[in-house]
Coordinates of all heavy atoms in Angstrom, one line a residue:
H6 N 97.0 93.0 97.2 CA 96.5 94.4 96.9 C 97.6 95.4 97.3 O 97.6 95.8 98.4 CB 95.2 94.6 97.5 CG 94.5 95.9 97.0 ND1 93.1 96.0 96.8 CD2 95.0 97.1 96.6 CE1 92.8 97.2 96.3 NE2 94.0 97.9 96.2
H8 N 100.2 98.8 95.8 CA 100.4 99.8 94.7 C 101.9 100.3 94.8 O 102.5 100.4 95.9 CB 99.5 101.0 94.9 CG 98.0 100.6 94.7 ND1 97.5 100.5 93.4 CD2 97.1 100.4 95.6 CE1 96.2 100.2 93.6 NE2 95.9 100.1 94.9
H159 N 88.5 95.7 98.5 CA 88.0 96.5 99.6 C 86.8 95.9 100.4 O 85.7 96.5 100.3 CB 87.7 97.9 99.2 CG 88.7 98.6 98.4 ND1 90.0 98.7 98.7 CD2 88.7 99.2 97.1 CE1 90.7 99.4 97.8 NE2 89.9 99.7 96.8
D208 N 96.3 97.0 100.4 CA 96.2 98.3 99.7 C 97.3 99.2 100.2 O 97.0 100.5 100.1 CB 94.8 98.9 100.0 CG 94.4 99.8 98.8 OD1 95.2 100.0 97.9 OD2 93.3 100.4 98.9
Ligands
LIG1 ZN1 94.1 99.9 95.8

Side-chain angles (χ1 to χ4, degrees):
H6 191 143
H8 295 280
H159 309 307
D208 206 2

